[in-house]
Amino acid sequence: MTTAPATPVRTRFAPSPTGFLHLGGARTALYSWAYARHFGGTFVLRIEDTDLERSTPEAVQAIIDGMQWLGLDHDEGPFYQMQRMDRYREVIGQMLAAGTAYHCYSTPEEVEAMRERFRAAGEKPRYDGTWRPEEGKTLPAIPEGRKPVVRFKNPLDGDVTWHDVVKGTITISNKELDDLIIARTDGTPTYNFCVAVDDWDMRITHVLRGDDHVNNTPRQINILRAIGAPLPEYGHLPMILGSDGQKLSKRHGAVSVMEYPAQGFLPEAMLNYLARLGWSHGDDEVFSMAQFCEWFNLEHLTASAAQFNNEKLAWLNNYWIKQADNGRLAELAKPRMLAAGADFDNAPDLATVLGLLKERTNTVNELADAAMLFYRQPQPDEALMTQHFTDAVKPALAQFAERIQTVEWTKEAIAAAMKEVLAANGLKMPQMAMPLRLIVTGQLQTPAIDAVLQLFGRATVAARLAKYL
């Protein structure tokens, strides 16, 4: 049993809007959302848009669209870092006054020369602290007309240690960390500084993110300590791999979340699948989001990379299609069918048709394709008609066409009429069902022929039989 944290849970999802919402980001958002929901906490959406060259309004919208499709509703936000510049400058001013940050006038070329000297000496390349103020140290004269960056005065000794809720205890020596630039020469703050201030201001208690952020964590911890802020708990999730064990990329199929609704996947299937890519609850494979939020905890997150499997996702999607309301499926399928030329005039009710077909389809697209047989004129293959519409079966079909004029139009009554005609003519079911399918639907394979005929309606079935008889 997971015990509730001492303070109210506040989690965040903080994507950079430099592209679409990808599957790894969606999983991070899901876990952060579910942890907040589990404890009745707060889920914050924050857009980290300080990379002006790569951030775009289209990418922001793609992230928000992806979150909305998945149903990962945020309680606060979206907050935009570019709208918080005054706050960042205020904190930088306070740090300069407190001596936890300082102005550095070294040029990028000078810093690269320092790094090169360390490389040549076989040491880790870094800034050498030329402008770092220390007791008894005389700083160089400030070059005329040169604008400084602001650097964080990182501790020189000791370690940064945190208990990672996914990876366990992680320790990084402060000697490994540079005096990080926290504001550029034009005054704009840098990524790690903004994240630390945001997590402080937004009272974030738990940070779940990809393990590509592990190296950022000690820097952010040191900044948080320097500004007197409490530390959140951190958990770094392993990456999602393709089925070949390589980093998930476009060659593995769709990686943008919003490509999946276009392919006919349901959000509950995607959420169900993503939930299991790095977390488990015994052997449970299929569960709703309400159940997931009830079960979700940090103890059962796994530190090993997960492999994305399209077949498993399709299997789950089939399950959730079978659970879905037929009217909802009709709303999803109808635009696709109209684009394919479907004619809904004098045709069966689409929701009823989809209810008949959904057992055997993995995506809404497959379901829409399968339903088209009810909404277009049949065009049976001539060779198949020659094979199945034989002289031996024509009398039976003629009798069946006569019988259906008066039979009660139910699946059971239609089936009974077929059996009587078959018995009277000494035929087996496939001998009559195959040409009947071709004439009425244009296809050899359909669900049970009695159910299909019932949906088409007496008039349509009679008219299509009459065309051949």
Side-chain angles (χ1 to χ4, degrees), residues 196 199-200 203-204 224-225 227-234:
D199 285 344
W200 179 30
R203 307 188 311 285
I204 301 303
L224 287 165
R225 285 176 174 155
I227 58 181
L231 300 182
E233 286 195 57
Y234 293 95

Side-chain angles (χ1 to χ4, degrees), residues 291-309:
Q291 185 67 78
F292 177 56
C293 290
E294 184 182 326
W295 286 339
F296 184 71
N297 56 33
L298 304 180
E299 290 79 11
H300 289 95
L301 291 171
T302 177
S304 54
Q307 285 194 321
F308 193 86
N309 183 300

Side-chain angles (χ1 to χ4, degrees), residues 235-251:
H236 292 89
L237 306 164
M239 68 173 59
I240 299 174
L241 305 177
S243 54
D244 56 1
Q246 301 300 307
K247 185 178 178 181
L248 197 63
S249 67
K250 287 183 179 176
R251 72 174 181 278

